[in-house]
Every structure is written in C-alpha cells, then in structure tokens.
Amino acid sequence: MPYISFESGQLTAEQKKQLIERLTKTAAEILHIPEPFFTVTIKELPDENFGIGGRSIDEIKRNYKP
Amino acid sequence: MPYISFESGQLTAEQKKQLIERLTKTAAEILHIPEPFFTVTIKELPDENFGIGGRSIDEIKRNYKP
Amino acid sequence: MPYISFESGQLTAEQKKQLIERLTKTAAEILHIPEPFFTVTIKELPDENFGIGGRSIDEIKRNYKP
Amino acid sequence: MPYISFESGQLTAEQKKQLIERLTKTAAEILHIPEPFFTVTIKELPDENFGIGGRSIDEIKRNYKP
Amino acid sequence: MPYISFESGQLTAEQKKQLIERLTKTAAEILHIPEPFFTVTIKELPDENFGIGGRSIDEIKRNYKP
Amino acid sequence: MPYISFESGQLTAEQKKQLIERLTKTAAEILHIPEPFFTVTIKELPDENFGIGGRSIDEIKRNYKP
C-alpha cells in the first residue's frame, strides 16, 4: 500500500519502466512489504513548468553557455 | 476548503463530471461542510506512468492473456 | 490502482472510516474498477496550515463574530 | 529544499515564468532560506479536471450567463 | 480555485501566516484571479523525512562542521 | 531537480535514511542526473488515514485473524 509519486522532466518508455520496477523493488526491501502492495505514479512535466532557484529548467537550458 | 486529488488512467468526460459531483457530495455529507468549499482535481496518467507491484499498467495489459 | 488523496482539517475516527469506505465505493462505481484496487490517503492539517483567500482557517475562525 | 506545487488551469509561458520567479522569491524571504534551494512545479489541468463545489470549471463556464 | 501546496521543515506561526498571505497575493496578481479563489496548504516535515542528494536534512545538519 | 514523494505508515529512522539514500541512488542511475539534484520527502500516515479497498489499514489489522 505504500505510494510513490515521481516528478521530473520528459522520460523515455524504458526509463519509466525501470523507475517503476526498481523504485518498487528498493522500497519493498527496506520496508519488508511485498512488492504487489506498492503503487508508483510518474508525472512528466514540461521544462517550463519545473523551476529551481526561481528559474525554469527551460530558462536555465537556454542561458547555459558551455 | 477540503481538497481531493484523484489519480487514475484516462477517463471519459462523463466519468470526470461524475467524480467531481459525487466525491464532493459524499465528502460534504461526512464532514458536514457545505459543497461549495470543496475542490477536486483529477490527474489522468498514461498506462506507462502508473505502476502496481513493480510493473506498469501498460505492461500488465500487454502480458494479460485471458 | 486509482489513488485518492484527501486533505482537510482534523477529523474524527468515524469520519475517516466513512471517507475511506464511501469515497472508494463511489469512485469504484463510476470507473467500473473493483474496490480492492483503490487507495485512499487522508492528510489532516492544523488550522494554521490551511489557507483560503490568503488567510488561514485559524485566522478566519478567530475573526469570525456571529 | 522547500518544495512548492502549483495546480491551476492553463497558463501562458509568461505566467509560468513569473510564478516560478516570484513564488520562490517570496517564500525565500519568509523562510530566510536562499532561493537556489527552492523547487517549484506547475501542474496545468484541463477545465474538465478541476472541480469547485461539485461542478467542473468547464461546466461552470458553460452555464455562466452574464 | 488554484491550489498551492508548500512542503518544508518546521515553521513558526508567523512564517505560516506570511506564506498563506503572500503566496496567495503573488499568485493572484500573476493569474488575474481574485484572492478568495486560492487555497494554500502547508506540510511541515521532520528533518528525518526530507532528503536532498540522498541524505536527510537531519544527517546534513549533524555532519555540518562550520 | 526530480522530486520523489513517498507515503506509507510509520517507519523507523533507519528505514527513512535508507529510503532517501537508495531511492535517490536508483533514480539517479536511471535518469543519468547527478544525485545532488534529487529531493525526497517521506509522509508517514497513521493506520486510520490509509485505506485500501475501502477499509483502513487500522481496520484491516484489527479484523485479521491468522
């Protein structure tokens, strides 16, 4: 019954598969609760909708000059 | 002012209308708080982004052989 | 597998029991998904931590003169 | 490290930029924690998925006769 | 009807009052939606329950040697 | 900048330490994003506030006869 919510930018199908599989496995080991009781939801947000330190990821990427 | 967040797979317009109407009505009765004070948000997630027991709904459906 | 998160002020044990039972039943009917697949979590917040229109419930109650 | 989640209807790019910038600035001043430690996420929901008082924003708009 | 959820460590009553008041005011200005439509919830978490970079705030504070 | 929210029943200090450390490590490997950018929050809920299939964990435990 534990519930894991994951928020990030866009992910590939394989990354989402891996997240669901391995976050569940990891948490099940730590809590000693069987894997079938775990729920994972993944929310993919556009770069414009995710901000760090007052600036969006979109803005950070556009201003990044390596 | 109570707040209800609902997460599931894709829903029809009618299902969303019903959820907002009936979850609000039900909760208002239990809490004795008038309906206008309730907020409901519905987050529809793709099958790839919702996992149970370490596997996505997408994967569960593909491997299901009735 | 649908997930319902409920946020409000303090509730009685009976109100929480009713919320879990009846929100699940209502949503299961609307989605045509069996009840065992539903998860409900209830977050009870102090009046100081819940704000409407820029004022906390605590403040609204203190300034209310019937 | 504080985390702000913002849920509303559709927003313009400029509104999202302003929300990330100014909610972070405001909270940083109040908490005396430097801005780089703040995360903001914005979830834009369709009018059908947001309900107030048991009716969706979509329904409220359609029935509104000024 | 926009909804703001704020998660951080423990706060003073005055900080919570300020957050509710000023985050609402700021967001109302940006969205051109009147303040009464905004909800703010504040979740205060113990230092053990908040992690950055794989370590809890509790652990970071204990290992900090200025 | 990815954000992980974990909801469950009561946990030990060691379990919370492990969750923060290992969920971060696992997700960082899958996303190829360095660990310092990850935030984890853990919400521990009383058994009365967590429901599965329309019944609280509290109720399930009380009715469980092995």
Side-chain angles (χ1 to χ4, degrees):
Chain A
M1 102 257 156
Y3 167 81
I4 301 171
S5 173
F6 191 89
E7 300 183 359
S8 70
Q10 301 301 302
L11 303 170
T12 66
E14 180 59 25
Q15 284 176 318
K16 291 192 272 191
K17 185 179 178 300
Q18 290 284 324
L19 280 171
I20 289 171
E21 190 177 312
R22 294 176 58 190
L23 294 182
T24 298
K25 188 175 186 304
T26 302
E29 282 174 16
I30 297 168
L31 269 62
H32 307 298
I33 290 178
E35 293 194 21
F37 291 98
F38 284 79
T39 299
V40 177
T41 64
I42 300 172
K43 283 98 173 183
E44 297 171 273
L45 294 168
D47 284 350
E48 278 186 345
N49 293 33
F50 218 120
I52 310 290
R55 294 197 306 155
S56 72
I57 301 297
D58 179 57
E59 205 179 336
I60 292 168
K61 284 183 181 169
R62 275 189 290 109
N63 289 295
Y64 180 69
K65 291 184 187 66
Chain B
M1 102 257 158
Y3 167 81
I4 301 171
S5 174
F6 191 89
E7 300 184 0
S8 70
Q10 300 301 303
L11 303 170
T12 65
E14 180 59 25
Q15 284 176 318
K16 292 190 272 190
K17 185 179 178 300
Q18 290 283 324
L19 280 171
I20 289 171
E21 191 177 313
R22 295 175 58 191
L23 294 182
T24 299
K25 188 176 184 306
T26 301
E29 282 173 17
I30 297 168
L31 269 63
H32 307 298
I33 291 178
E35 294 195 21
F37 291 97
F38 284 80
T39 299
V40 177
T41 64
I42 300 172
K43 284 99 174 184
E44 297 171 273
L45 294 167
D47 283 350
E48 279 187 344
N49 294 33
F50 217 121
I52 309 291
R55 293 197 307 154
S56 71
I57 301 298
D58 178 58
E59 205 179 335
I60 293 168
K61 284 184 181 171
R62 275 189 289 109
N63 289 297
Y64 179 69
K65 291 182 188 66
Chain C
M1 105 256 159
Y3 167 80
I4 301 170
S5 174
F6 190 89
E7 300 184 0
S8 70
Q10 301 301 303
L11 303 169
T12 66
E14 180 59 24
Q15 284 175 318
K16 293 191 272 189
K17 185 178 177 301
Q18 290 283 324
L19 281 171
I20 289 171
E21 191 177 313
R22 295 176 59 190
L23 294 182
T24 298
K25 187 175 185 306
T26 301
E29 283 174 16
I30 297 168
L31 268 61
H32 307 297
I33 291 179
E35 293 195 21
F37 291 97
F38 284 79
T39 299
V40 177
T41 63
I42 299 171
K43 284 99 174 181
E44 297 171 273
L45 294 167
D47 283 351
E48 279 186 345
N49 293 33
F50 218 120
I52 310 290
R55 292 197 306 155
S56 71
I57 302 297
D58 178 58
E59 205 177 335
I60 292 169
K61 284 184 181 170
R62 275 189 290 107
N63 288 296
Y64 179 69
K65 291 183 188 67
Chain D
M1 103 256 156
Y3 167 81
I4 301 170
S5 173
F6 191 88
E7 300 184 0
S8 70
Q10 301 301 304
L11 303 170
T12 64
E14 179 61 23
Q15 284 175 319
K16 292 192 272 190
K17 185 179 178 299
Q18 290 283 324
L19 280 172
I20 289 171
E21 190 177 314
R22 294 176 57 192
L23 294 182
T24 299
K25 187 175 185 304
T26 301
E29 282 174 16
I30 297 168
L31 268 62
H32 306 298
I33 291 178
E35 294 195 20
F37 291 97
F38 284 79
T39 299
V40 177
T41 64
I42 299 171
K43 284 99 174 182
E44 296 171 274
L45 294 168
D47 283 350
E48 279 186 344
N49 293 34
F50 217 119
I52 310 290
R55 293 198 305 154
S56 71
I57 301 297
D58 179 57
E59 205 178 336
I60 292 168
K61 283 184 181 169
R62 275 189 289 109
N63 289 295
Y64 179 70
K65 291 182 187 68
Chain E
M1 105 254 157
Y3 167 80
I4 301 170
S5 174
F6 191 89
E7 300 183 1
S8 70
Q10 300 301 303
L11 303 169
T12 65
E14 180 59 24
Q15 284 176 318
K16 292 191 272 191
K17 185 179 177 301
Q18 290 283 324
L19 281 172
I20 289 171
E21 190 177 314
R22 294 176 58 191
L23 294 182
T24 298
K25 189 176 184 304
T26 300
E29 283 174 16
I30 297 168
L31 268 63
H32 306 297
I33 290 178
E35 293 195 20
F37 291 97
F38 284 79
T39 299
V40 177
T41 63
I42 299 171
K43 284 97 173 184
E44 297 170 273
L45 294 167
D47 284 350
E48 279 186 344
N49 293 33
F50 218 120
I52 309 289
R55 293 198 306 155
S56 71
I57 302 297
D58 179 57
E59 205 178 335
I60 292 168
K61 283 183 181 170
R62 275 190 288 108
N63 288 295
Y64 180 69
K65 290 183 186 69
Chain F
M1 106 256 154
Y3 167 80
I4 301 170
S5 174
F6 190 89
E7 299 184 1
S8 70
Q10 301 301 304
L11 302 170
T12 66
E14 180 59 24
Q15 284 176 318
K16 293 191 271 190
K17 185 179 178 301
Q18 290 283 324
L19 281 171
I20 289 171
E21 190 178 313
R22 294 176 57 191
L23 294 181
T24 299
K25 188 175 184 307
T26 301
E29 282 174 17
I30 297 168
L31 268 62
H32 306 298
I33 290 178
E35 293 194 21
F37 291 96
F38 284 78
T39 299
V40 177
T41 64
I42 299 171
K43 284 99 174 182
E44 297 170 275
L45 294 168
D47 283 350
E48 279 186 345
N49 293 33
F50 218 120
I52 310 290
R55 293 198 305 155
S56 71
I57 301 298
D58 179 56
E59 206 178 335
I60 292 169
K61 284 184 182 170
R62 274 189 290 109
N63 288 295
Y64 179 69
K65 290 184 187 65

